C-alpha cells in the first residue's frame, strides 16, 4: 500500500499511455483497412445464352462475327477507394492450356464493341459492382463452346484478381435437326 501511495502518478501515466497506444493502433488499423485495394470477381452463364447460341446457328456468315452475350462477369469493389479496371474476362481450358476470353465493352468513341484493354478501361466506384458481357465468336458458338474454369479482373496497377465460374445453367450447341425444327415452329 505504501508503494501505491508513492507511485500513483506513475501508475496513472502507465494506464493512460497504454489506453492511448491501443486507441492509436486501432485508428491506424482502420485507416489501413480502408486504403487496401481489393476486388471480387465471379462469372456465370447469361440469362439468354442458349437463345443467342441458337440464333448463331441460324444466321448466315454475313450477320456479324460475334454471338452473345453468353457469359456475365461481375466485378465488386468492396474497398473504400475507387479502382480503375483495365481488363475483365474468363479463363478457358483449351486442350489442357489455360487461355483468356476477354469481355467486350462499348467504346466511348464509336459505340462499337471492343475489348476493355483496347479502350481506356473503366473506374469502379468504392462499394459498387458492375457486370460485363463475354461474347463468343461465331465459330465458337457453332462448333464447340469453351470450357470455362474461372474469371479474372486486372486493375490499373496490373494486379490480377481471380474468381470462380458458377455453372448455374447448361448451354449446348443444338444439332442441325434441332435448328431445322425450330425454324418450322
Amino acid at each position: 500500500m505504501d508503494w501505491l501511495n508513492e507511485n500513483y502518478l506513475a501508475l496513472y501515466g502507465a494506464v493512460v499511455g497504454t489506453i492511448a497506444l491501443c486507441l492509436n493502433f486501432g485508428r491506424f488499423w482502420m485507416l489501413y483497412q480502408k486504403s487496401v485495394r481489393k476486388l471480387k470477381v465471379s462469372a456465370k452463364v447469361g440469362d439468354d445464352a442458349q437463345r443467342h447460341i441458337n440464333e448463331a446457328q441460324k444466321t448466315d456468315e454475313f450477320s456479324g462475327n460475334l454471338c452473345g452475350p453468353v457469359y456475365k462477369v461481375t466485378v465488386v469493389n468492396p474497398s473504400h477507394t475507387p479502382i480503375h479496371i483495365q481488363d475483365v474476362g474468363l479463363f478457358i481450358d483449351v486442350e489442357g492450356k489455360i487461355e483468356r476470353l476477354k469481355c467486350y465493352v462499348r467504346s466511348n468513341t464509336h459505340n462499337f464493341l471492343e475489348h476493355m484493354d483496347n479502350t481506356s478501361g473503366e473506374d469502379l466506384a468504392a462499394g459498387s459492382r458492375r457486370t460485363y458481357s463475354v461474347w463468343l465468336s461465331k465459330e465458337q458458338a457453332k462448333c464447340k463452346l469453351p470450357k470455362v474454369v474461372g474469371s479474372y479482373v486486372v486493375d490499373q496497377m496490373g494486379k490480377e484478381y481471380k474468381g470462380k465460374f458458377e455453372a448455374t445453367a447448361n448451354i449446348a450447341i443444338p444439332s442441325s435437326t434441332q435448328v431445322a425444327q425450330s425454324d418450322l415452329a
Side-chain angles (χ1 to χ4, degrees):
M1 196 61 157
D2 202 23
W3 180 87
L4 193 59
N5 287 336
E6 292 175 3
N7 297 314
Y8 73 92
L9 191 58
L11 183 62
Y12 175 76
V15 169
V16 170
T18 303
I19 292 171
L21 179 67
C22 291
L23 289 174
N24 280 333
F25 180 75
R27 184 171 153 236
F28 162 76
W29 186 252
M30 293 292 288
L31 290 173
Y32 173 74
Q33 288 297 322
K34 285 185 177 184
S35 69
V36 171
R37 301 166 56 90
K38 48 191 159 180
L39 292 172
K40 294 181 181 178
V41 59
S42 64
K44 65 179 184 174
V45 175
D47 297 334
D48 293 335
Q50 189 64 54
R51 182 177 61 83
H52 291 299
I53 291 172
N54 293 346
E55 288 174 4
Q57 302 296 320
K58 297 177 193 176
T59 58
D60 61 358
E61 60 190 64
F62 301 109
S63 64
N65 294 329
L66 295 175
C67 165
V70 177
Y71 301 104
K72 299 287 185 182
V73 179
T74 303
V75 180
V76 180
N77 181 2
S79 65
H80 296 278
T81 59
I83 298 177
H84 189 78
I85 296 174
Q86 285 297 114
D87 192 17
V88 178
L90 299 172
F91 290 119
I92 58 173
D93 185 358
V94 179
E95 299 173 1
K97 293 188 313 185
I98 302 297
E99 294 183 5
R100 294 173 186 249
L101 184 61
K102 298 181 178 193
C103 289
Y104 282 96
V105 293
R106 298 249 179 229
S107 70
N108 294 336
T109 56
H110 321 296
N111 207 22
F112 293 129
L113 288 174
E114 290 186 80
H115 290 297
M116 183 180 281
D117 58 350
N118 293 340
T119 65
S120 60
E122 280 188 4
D123 288 327
L124 190 61
S128 65
R129 76 177 47 226
R130 173 88 200 274
T131 301
Y132 299 93
S133 300
V134 177
W135 298 60
L136 297 179
S137 68
K138 288 283 174 102
E139 293 82 34
Q140 288 173 321
K142 288 185 177 184
C143 301
K144 184 179 178 186
L145 294 174
K147 180 182 176 188
V148 180
V149 293
S151 57
Y152 72 92
V153 61
V154 178
D155 68 6
Q156 78 180 43
M157 306 295 272
K159 184 175 179 184
E160 182 176 85
Y161 303 86
K162 296 179 180 178
K164 295 182 179 180
F165 174 72
E166 303 163 11
T168 55
N170 291 329
I171 53 175
I173 297 174
S175 66
S176 58
T177 57
Q178 290 174 331
V179 173
Q181 289 174 356
S182 65
D183 285 342
L184 296 174

